[in-house]
Amino acid sequence: MKYTFINKNNTPRLTLFFAGWGMDIHPFISLRNITNDCCICYDYTDMHLNSEIFDSYTHIDIYAWSLGVWHAALYLRNSTLPVRKRIAINGTMFPIDNEKGISADIFDATLKGLNKNSLIKFNLRMCGNKEKVSVYNSLHPQRSIEDIKKELQVIGDRIYRTPVFKYPWDKVIIGSDDHIFPYECQLRAWENDCNNIIVKPIYHYTDFFKLMLEI
C-alpha cells in the first residue's frame, strides 16, 4: 500500500483517507484544505503499511471510499491505532457481490477488458456526467493502464480468498446516483451492519472535502 501526506503540520490529529482502485493523491487534492494532518492511502497491490508512521497521532479519523472501504477495514481490523471516527463512502464490506456490492460479472469484465477506451467509459460512469468527468480528468491519477490492471487483479484475488468479516463503521455515506456500487446494493449491504446511514445525491466520485463538511 502506498501513502502520501498531503498535509503534514505535526498536529496531534490525522485524517486518514483510503482511496479506491486505480488512484493516487491527485483526485483528492481538495483534502489539502483540511486543517489537521491528512494522509491518502492508495494502490492495494501490496497491503503492507507500517503503522509506526502514525504513532505521533492521538486522534485518527478514518474516511474510506469505494474499494478502499473494504481495504481500510482489512488493514485496521487488528490495529491498535487511536481511531476515533470511521466513515465509509460509496463502498461496502461485500465488494464483489451480486447483491451487496459490484457484481462478479461486472468486476471480471472490467478486469478482462481494461484498456484506455474502457477506462474512459468507467470514469464517466464513476463521475456521472461529462461536466464532472472533465473535472476528474484534470486531476486524474498518474498511473499506467498496466499498473492499475495489475492492482485490480490482485484486489480481486484478495477479495475472493478472504472470508467475510465485519468492521465497526460509525457512519456510512451512500450515493443515490452511484453507478459503480449501485445504490440498492449498498443499502442491502449496510441495513443490518450500521445504524447511521446517510443517503446523499452524489455520484460514485465526488468532492470529498465538501462532503466531509456536510457530514
Side-chain angles (χ1 to χ4, degrees), residues 21-98:
W21 159 67
M23 296 293 147
D24 60 15
I25 67 168
H26 292 89
F28 313 102
I29 209 68
S30 68
L31 297 183
R32 281 183 173 166
N33 295 313
I34 292 174
T35 55
N36 48 272
D37 289 5
C38 182
C39 181
I40 310 294
C41 295
Y42 57 96
D43 191 351
Y44 305 113
T45 307
D46 180 348
M47 279 299 292
H48 176 72
L49 179 61
N50 189 348
S51 63
E52 291 181 1
I53 62 175
F54 307 125
D55 279 352
S56 64
Y57 297 101
T58 59
H59 189 128
I60 298 178
D61 294 334
I62 302 296
Y63 291 84
W65 168 64
S66 190
L67 286 170
V69 170
W70 187 85
H71 282 89
L74 185 67
Y75 176 71
L76 294 166
R77 60 179 175 170
N78 296 316
S79 170
T80 58
L81 291 174
V83 174
R84 298 291 182 264
K85 180 165 60 177
R86 307 164 181 85
I87 298 179
I89 305 167
N90 283 344
T92 77
M93 292 298 294
F94 305 87
I96 305 176
D97 188 284
N98 293 344

Side-chain angles (χ1 to χ4, degrees), residues 156-201:
D157 292 345
R158 182 181 296 126
I159 292 170
Y160 283 130
R161 71 171 184 263
T162 302
V164 172
F165 66 97
K166 292 189 176 184
Y167 184 73
W169 294 101
D170 300 309
K171 185 181 295 185
V172 170
I173 311 301
I174 298 177
S176 59
D177 296 315
D178 194 329
H179 300 304
I180 303 299
F181 275 83
Y183 167 71
E184 295 81 4
C185 292
Q186 291 191 58
L187 285 178
R188 281 192 291 268
W190 293 112
E191 60 183 353
N192 296 318
D193 287 336
C194 185
N195 295 322
N196 193 352
I197 297 173
I198 299 173
V199 177
K200 303 285 288 184

Side-chain angles (χ1 to χ4, degrees), residues 4-19:
T4 300
F5 282 87
I6 60 172
N7 265 3
K8 195 161 182 18
N9 301 310
N10 297 316
T11 65
R13 184 166 180 163
L14 173 70
T15 296
L16 187 55
F17 186 94
F18 287 81

Side-chain angles (χ1 to χ4, degrees), residues 70-153:
W70 187 85
H71 282 89
L74 185 67
Y75 176 71
L76 294 166
R77 60 179 175 170
N78 296 316
S79 170
T80 58
L81 291 174
V83 174
R84 298 291 182 264
K85 180 165 60 177
R86 307 164 181 85
I87 298 179
I89 305 167
N90 283 344
T92 77
M93 292 298 294
F94 305 87
I96 305 176
D97 188 284
N98 293 344
E99 297 295 323
K100 299 180 179 181
I102 301 169
S103 76
D105 286 348
I106 290 177
F107 185 93
D108 294 343
T110 301
L111 175 60
K112 183 178 180 180
L114 188 62
N115 56 41
K116 183 177 180 180
N117 289 333
S118 68
L119 184 61
I120 290 172
K121 294 177 181 178
F122 178 88
N123 290 342
L124 180 58
R125 286 194 296 118
M126 180 176 72
C127 297
N129 59 48
K130 292 181 179 179
E131 178 184 355
K132 292 187 181 297
V133 82
S134 178
V135 173
Y136 175 80
N137 286 339
S138 70
L139 304 169
H140 70 88
Q142 304 299 303
R143 297 177 61 184
S144 69
I145 294 290
E146 293 75 17
D147 186 34
I148 64 172
K149 187 168 187 175
K150 178 183 177 183
E151 182 192 3
L152 193 60
Q153 176 71 67

